[in-house]
Amino acid sequence: MMHSESWRVGVLFSETGVTGAVEKTQRAATLLAIDEINASGGVLGRVIEPIAYDPQSTPNLYKELAVKLCDEDRVRVVFGCHMSSTRKAVLPVIEARDALLFYPTLYEGFEYSRHCIYTGAAPNQNSVQLVDFLTKHYGKRVFLVGSNYVYPYESNRTISDLFLQVGGQVLDEMYVPLNLKTEDVAKIIRHIRAAQPDVIYSTIVGDGIIPFYTAFKEAGFDAATMPIASQSTSEADVIRMRPEVAEGHITAAPFFASLDTPRARAFVSAYQHRYGLQMLPTAPAEAAYFQVYLYAAALQRAGGDGLEQLLPALYDVEYDAPQGAVKIDRLTNHTHLWPRVARVNAQGSYDIVYDPSLRVAPDPFMREYRPDLTQAFPHRVQV
């Protein structure tokens, strides 16, 4: 018999603004998981009740809505945030209320909060594999470009270190506004033409990804010999590009909508049955989906959603996610994940080109990948 009370949770993903396209996939996956769990009887006889707001890709609005969720809506658990700037805006609110944030987006690493469960990839679960693939197949001379906020700076720093550790060179590094303008795109293209790298690593996020890739193609660059590698580019962006614009470019993630396993196909089918064939799940969406199931399994075990009950239970549960079985690391609050590298094909979908079928423990502080600072460190090369 279903209990009249519900487990209220906050859902904070943008439906509008510069990162609205990818965050819509995360919001959709969160609500799909909640509906599936409720349809199978909820948790301990109570349904999960989502209270969802649209923070419009604006950090201050994320903060204000997190306050509203905790203080007025009385939720103890929030699923949400995409950009690191929005996570950092929300976390002080969550910590002050003794609540818990589930954050399902790849990020720059080097962070821990007892009040945050990180279910997106840490740098050792995507950047390491991506650089290994790029340097083996394209070369060791990289050009770095990113949006002007915390994730691009920190992710580019890690990528730089990884290239330099294998004898590579960082030819140039530049940052552009989040709301990318035509003149910003033209400047990037000029710098790439001057540098002539083997590969471009892009941490441009949101709507600016499409004009950048389009301009790259129209400038005559060939992705077969000089690809853009970007972990902030996903199915939500590729579907908005012409296939010839996206073809040949590369990303690394634990999940792709093209992943050919029974569990992945079932997830994609359920997602598209509900939202339509043009709505593909992304890696951030898959993390948004499985983290709800981890929460539900922990809640079932703990019997309550207070932090002191839920956290210990979270460390003891494992879930068969679309990417493979996942679990939370009790020392870091990050997730054990399955890294993969993929390249966009001529039809505009991802071909997985590197899949070691190996679950990798999180190392958000890159303890195993730091350069040996007792040795002379190679300098970056500016063109």
Side-chain angles (χ1 to χ4, degrees):
M1 185 178 197
M2 196 69 79
H3 199 285
S4 59
E5 289 186 39
S6 60
W7 302 104
R8 306 185 93 185
V9 297
V11 179
L12 266 188
F13 294 110
S14 299
E15 297 181 85
T16 56
V18 68
T19 53
V22 66
E23 292 197 55
K24 280 180 186 174
T25 72
Q26 294 178 292
R27 183 182 188 277
T30 301
L31 297 179
L32 175 63
I34 290 172
D35 283 353
E36 288 176 350
I37 293 166
N38 288 341
S40 64
V43 181
L44 300 173
R46 297 162 61 176
V47 298
I48 300 173
E49 178 188 354
I51 301 174
Y53 296 118
D54 176 10
Q56 302 173 22
S57 307
T58 306
N60 282 342
L61 197 48
Y62 273 89
K63 180 181 178 181
E64 292 173 14
L65 291 172
V67 171
K68 180 176 172 58
L69 282 168
C70 292
D71 293 355
E72 297 180 24
D73 300 317
R74 298 293 176 188
V75 307
R76 293 177 172 178
V77 170
V78 175
F79 301 103
C81 300
H82 184 79
M83 288 187 287
S84 288
S85 54
T86 61
R87 183 189 72 257
K88 287 183 179 295
V90 163
L91 258 182
V93 175
I94 297 291
E95 290 170 343
R97 271 85 175 165
D98 212 24
L100 187 63
L101 171 68
F102 283 80
Y103 175 62
T105 308
L106 68 110
Y107 86 115
E108 65 277 4
F110 298 91
E111 183 180 291
Y112 166 81
S113 168
R114 185 167 180 264
H115 296 263
C116 186
I117 299 296
Y118 306 80
T119 56
N124 77 302
Q125 296 167 317
N126 53 15
S127 297
V128 169
Q129 295 78 13
L130 180 62
V131 170
D132 184 54
F133 181 82
L134 294 174
T135 54
K136 285 179 178 173
H137 294 86
Y138 294 95
K140 297 181 179 178
R141 302 166 66 254
V142 65
F143 174 95
L144 304 170
V145 60
S147 300
N148 191 15
Y149 76 103
V150 59
Y151 162 70
Y153 282 101
E154 290 300 306
S155 182
N156 287 354
R157 179 178 63 80
T158 296
I159 291 289
S160 296
D161 288 347
L162 291 170
F163 266 89
L164 295 172
Q165 284 179 46
V166 296
Q169 295 177 323
V170 178
L171 300 179
D172 200 355
E173 180 174 355
M174 62 181 295
Y175 295 89
V176 290
L178 197 55
N179 292 306
L180 202 60
K181 295 183 171 58
T182 303
E183 55 266 32
D184 301 315
V185 176
K187 183 178 179 182
I188 299 169
I189 297 300
R190 284 199 303 274
H191 278 243
I192 292 174
R193 197 179 297 284
Q196 289 295 310
D198 298 322
V199 60
I200 295 99
Y201 179 67
S202 171
T203 42
I204 291 174
V205 305
D207 291 340
I209 292 170
I210 289 83
F212 170 44
Y213 278 58
T214 302
F216 184 85
K217 176 69 176 177
E218 292 175 349
F221 297 125
D222 185 358
T225 55
M226 187 204 296
I228 299 170
S230 172
Q231 298 169 104
S232 53
T233 300
S234 70
E235 290 87 344
D237 308 296
V238 170
I239 202 168
R240 294 188 288 162
M241 299 179 196
R242 301 194 309 273
E244 66 271 22
V245 168
E247 183 181 6
H249 297 302
I250 294 169
T251 193
F255 172 84
F256 293 94
S258 56
L259 182 61
D260 191 19
T261 65
R263 184 69 187 91
R265 288 196 299 272
F267 168 59
V268 173
S269 175
Y271 189 94
Q272 292 194 305
H273 178 74
R274 174 159 174 166
Y275 300 111
L277 296 178
Q278 293 301 309
M279 187 85 166
L280 281 171
T282 59
E286 190 254 1
Y289 178 80
F290 77 64
Q291 69 180 15
V292 177
Y293 273 95
L294 284 173
Y295 155 77
L299 186 59
Q300 180 79 31
R301 179 177 292 233
D305 64 357
L307 187 72
E308 301 303 329
Q309 294 170 280
L310 205 54
L311 264 186
L314 265 172
Y315 302 139
D316 289 335
V317 298
E318 185 166 306
Y319 176 67
D320 183 22
Q323 66 175 275
V326 296
K327 66 177 183 179
I328 306 299
D329 177 61
R330 68 174 62 240
L331 294 179
T332 65
N333 276 8
H334 288 61
T335 309
H336 294 246
L337 299 172
W338 300 77
R340 298 174 171 97
V341 178
R343 180 168 46 212
V344 182
N345 62 29
Q347 289 72 48
S349 62
Y350 282 106
D351 288 334
I352 297 175
V353 293
Y354 175 68
D355 184 355
S357 299
L358 183 70
R359 188 167 76 173
V360 174
D363 182 8
F365 293 91
M366 295 288 282
R367 290 169 300 180
E368 299 296 323
Y369 302 96
R370 287 178 179 173
D372 182 358
L373 297 180
T374 63
Q375 302 295 317
F377 203 67
H379 294 291
R380 294 177 179 180
V381 177
Q382 295 285 341
V383 295

